[in-house]
């Protein structure tokens, strides 16, 4: 193994989003679920270790991130540490306790480096940074709805201030004027910031052009911290160009199915679209899973699916409109309802694969986590993009393994559940 870039992502679908950007820029990428216990058995340019560390206590996030770092360092070329990329959310989801600041600091200490950048800019998804202020779409972060997030309310769009509250290192800014002048000016600015004692610098970027200008200036920086956007400018530093080979997966085989537990607007439209094509679809009512009935319901669903699978993709879903979800949550409690449904859908996914499904679409971030766990998947090779942020992946295994795509809530066009299989074919 001699990976060039080792990435640590603080959540699961965020890891796939980063991997997708790297693949599109020419890197062959594997994503691991958690920190692997053995060396990687795949020839790739980058590895993304997917953690679930965004909202856990800071000390635990630091410990997990350092464990990931240690493993990634062991995968470098001739014992050389690969460049390390700490990936967080493009809305900088965090609190004054962390975890972006504490993890950044711990990684800097472990790598013995005194400078890194921090920018969640992802213009393709409407996240831009201007004069240190983060915009989500056309509004400042703290007006975007993120100020009401239940776990990581973002009430200040000034990333220099937000980051400074989370770290003992001095935080600075590389502004849009400097970025526009390219590598030389950015490197000069970095030298100046370092001389002023700055350890972490927020970077402006309002377009992909900015990210491509930033990329060369990051060559050789031991640690980069960012959303997934900065990734588009890095593969070129390793002499890699966009290529079809980077996203090549083994040929797909086996039966096809969709499991959907996301209740987002986009997913509701995707379920409706699939049903309108007259493909077989079966709803799971969360209330029916209560009182220990989950296993029985799962078995009924699998018995329904078994004879239909030969005819093409089937859909199993708990996806529902907001009013229905609220009613169920009022009856069962939010966490209980979520866990019950996730558990059932994961068992359905497991059962479908046992029935011969080898091409699986999963909709929903938490749902994806549950399904991947139930399928015992430890490693995913990242393949071609279906829609922005959503690539096909391949998990090696018996009889050719499983092709799987993990679609987070609001991603994907309305015809995603049928289009996905066309892309794979
Ligand atoms: P998204 O990516 O859209 O946020 P997730 O899978 O992360 O989707 O989250 C959806 C959550 O809602 C999961 O915990 C899932 O189990 C739960 N859920 C799914 N369907 C229903 C439903 N009909 N009623 C209540 N909760 C549901």
């Amino acid at each position: 193994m001699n990976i060039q870039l080792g990435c640590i992502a603080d959540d699961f679908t965020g890891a796939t989003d980063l991997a997708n950007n790297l693949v599109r820029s020419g890197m062959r990428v594997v994503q691991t679920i958690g920190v692997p216990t053995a060396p990687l058995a795949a020839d790739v340019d980058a590895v993304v270790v997917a953690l679930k560390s965004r909202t856990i206590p800071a000390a635990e996030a630091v410990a997990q991130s350092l464990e990931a770092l240690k493993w990634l360092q062991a995968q470098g070329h001739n014992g050389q540490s690969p460049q390390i990329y700490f990936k967080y959310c493009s809305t900088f989801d965090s609190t004054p306790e962390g975890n972006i600041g504490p993890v950044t600091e711990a990684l800097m200490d472990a790598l013995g480096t005194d400078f890194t950048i921090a920018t969640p800019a992802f213009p393709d998804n409407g996240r831009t940074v201007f004069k240190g202020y983060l915009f989500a779409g056309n509004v400042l972060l703290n007006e975007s709805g993120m100020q009401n997030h239940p776990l990581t309310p973002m009430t200040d769009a000034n990333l220099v201030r937000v980051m400074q509250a989370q770290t003992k290192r001095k935080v600075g800014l590389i502004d849009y004027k400097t970025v526009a002048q390219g590598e030389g000016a950015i490197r000069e600015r970095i030298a100046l910031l370092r001389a002023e004692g700055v350890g972490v610098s927020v970077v402006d970027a309002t377009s992909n052009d900015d990210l491509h200008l930033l990329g060369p200036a990051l060559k050789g920086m031991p640690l980069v911290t960012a959303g997934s956007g900065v990734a588009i400018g890095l593969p070129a530093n390793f002499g890699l160009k966009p290529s079809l080979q980077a996203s090549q997966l083994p040929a797909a085989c086996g039966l096809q199915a969709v499991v959907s537990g996301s209740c987002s607007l986009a997913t509701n439209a995707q379920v409706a679209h699939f049903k309108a094509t007259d493909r077989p679809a079966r709803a799971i009512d969360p209330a029916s899973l209560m009182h220990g009935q989950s296993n029985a319901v799962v078995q009924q669903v699998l018995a329904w699916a078994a004879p239909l699978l030969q005819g093409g993709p089937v859909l199993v879903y708990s996806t529902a409109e907001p009013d229905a979800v609220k009613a169920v949550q009022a009856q069962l409690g939010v966490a209980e309802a979520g866990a019950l449904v996730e558990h059932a859908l994961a068992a359905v996914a497991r059962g479908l694969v046992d029935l011969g499904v080898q091409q699986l679409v999963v909709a929903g971030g938490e749902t994806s986590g549950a399904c991947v766990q139930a399928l015992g998947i430890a490693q995913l090779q990242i393949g071609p993009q279906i829609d922005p942020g959503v690539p096909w992946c391949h998990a090696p295994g018996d009889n050719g393994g499983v092709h799987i795509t993990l679609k987070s809530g609001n991603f994907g066009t309305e015809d995603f559940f049928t289009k996905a299989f066309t892309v794979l074919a």
Side-chain angles (χ1 to χ4, degrees):
M1 272 307 306
N2 50 42
I3 60 165
Q4 318 256 31
L5 189 66
C7 311
I8 303 166
D10 70 354
D11 96 328
F12 200 80
T13 41
T16 311
D17 175 16
L18 170 63
N20 184 55
N21 275 351
L22 291 170
V23 167
R24 278 156 43 80
S25 303
M27 281 187 149
R28 295 162 304 156
V29 183
V30 155
Q31 173 180 336
T32 69
I33 313 306
V35 183
T37 48
L40 200 71
D43 186 21
V44 289
D45 306 303
V47 178
V48 182
V49 176
L51 301 178
K52 250 178 168 293
S53 57
R54 183 168 296 168
T55 54
I56 63 177
E60 278 173 46
V62 164
Q64 288 184 19
S65 303
L66 289 177
E67 195 195 335
L69 172 68
K70 207 166 139 196
W71 182 84
L72 287 165
Q73 286 182 308
Q75 315 302 313
H77 187 45
N78 290 336
Q80 284 255 355
S81 177
Q83 186 171 39
I84 300 297
Y85 191 126
F86 170 39
K87 154 57 171 95
Y88 37 74
C89 189
S90 65
T91 41
F92 215 71
D93 297 15
S94 54
T95 69
E97 285 72 48
N99 289 335
I100 297 176
V103 170
T104 298
E105 219 163 76
L107 292 173
M108 288 176 80
D109 289 344
L111 287 162
T113 183
D114 68 350
F115 187 87
T116 186
I117 62 150
T119 181
F122 188 13
D124 277 350
N125 262 351
R127 312 287 190 259
T128 54
V129 182
F130 180 63
K131 300 193 181 189
Y133 285 80
L134 175 58
F135 289 79
N138 295 321
V139 297
L140 286 165
L141 177 66
N142 56 307
E143 300 169 9
S144 68
M146 277 303 295
Q147 69 273 28
N148 300 320
H149 192 283
L151 301 175
T152 53
M154 302 302 291
T155 55
D156 187 359
N158 184 309
L159 295 178
V160 176
R161 268 196 309 256
V162 171
M163 189 63 178
Q164 192 63 79
Q166 298 180 31
T167 176
K168 292 189 283 294
R169 308 239 178 187
K170 193 170 163 191
V171 181
L173 175 66
I174 301 172
D175 77 356
Y176 70 103
K177 285 188 214 150
T178 307
V179 172
Q181 293 171 55
E183 181 181 358
I186 298 169
R187 285 188 183 275
E188 256 175 54
R189 175 76 184 147
I190 289 174
L192 194 75
L193 287 168
R194 281 172 101 144
E196 289 172 359
V198 168
V200 183
S201 184
V202 172
V203 186
D204 280 355
T206 60
S207 66
N208 282 351
D209 289 345
D210 286 341
L211 296 173
H212 285 296
L213 287 165
L214 175 63
L218 303 178
K219 189 172 181 174
M221 193 178 279
L223 174 69
V224 170
T225 87
S228 68
V230 167
I232 68 172
L234 292 187
N237 290 346
F238 305 102
L240 297 167
K241 289 196 292 277
S243 75
L244 281 176
Q245 281 89 326
S247 63
Q248 214 153 45
L249 296 181
C253 52
L255 304 172
Q256 303 169 325
V258 183
V259 172
S260 177
S262 159
C263 297
S264 73
L265 219 62
T267 307
N268 268 288
Q270 287 155 353
V271 167
H273 186 277
F274 185 90
K275 286 160 76 177
T277 62
D278 282 334
R279 299 292 326 150
R282 174 127 171 172
I284 290 185
D285 174 6
S288 72
L289 303 171
M290 291 169 67
H291 312 302
Q293 289 306 299
S294 184
N295 276 348
V297 171
V298 169
Q299 291 316 316
Q300 284 161 19
V301 168
L302 293 173
W304 164 84
L308 297 169
L309 284 164
Q310 293 297 339
V314 305
L315 165 67
V316 178
Y317 66 98
S318 66
T319 304
E321 300 286 345
D323 285 348
V325 174
K326 279 204 193 92
V328 168
Q329 287 175 336
Q331 193 185 353
L332 299 177
V334 175
E336 174 71 5
L340 205 60
V341 174
E342 280 166 38
H343 183 82
L345 289 178
V348 167
R350 173 77 259 172
L352 288 169
V353 169
D354 291 340
L355 287 171
V357 168
Q358 290 181 278
Q359 301 176 38
L360 183 65
V361 174
V362 184
E366 294 301 324
T367 309
S368 292
C371 288
V372 162
Q373 213 163 25
L375 293 174
I377 291 174
Q379 190 177 311
L380 291 167
Q381 173 94 31
I382 309 299
Q385 172 174 293
I386 306 162
D387 271 323
V390 207
W392 270 109
C393 309
H394 178 256
D398 297 340
N399 304 320
V402 176
H403 287 76
I404 187 167
T405 180
L406 310 172
K407 187 195 81 73
S408 75
N410 270 316
F411 285 178
T413 55
E414 227 171 72
D415 59 350
F416 187 91
F417 291 164
T418 46
K419 179 173 73 179
F421 298 107
T422 318
V423 170
L424 196 57

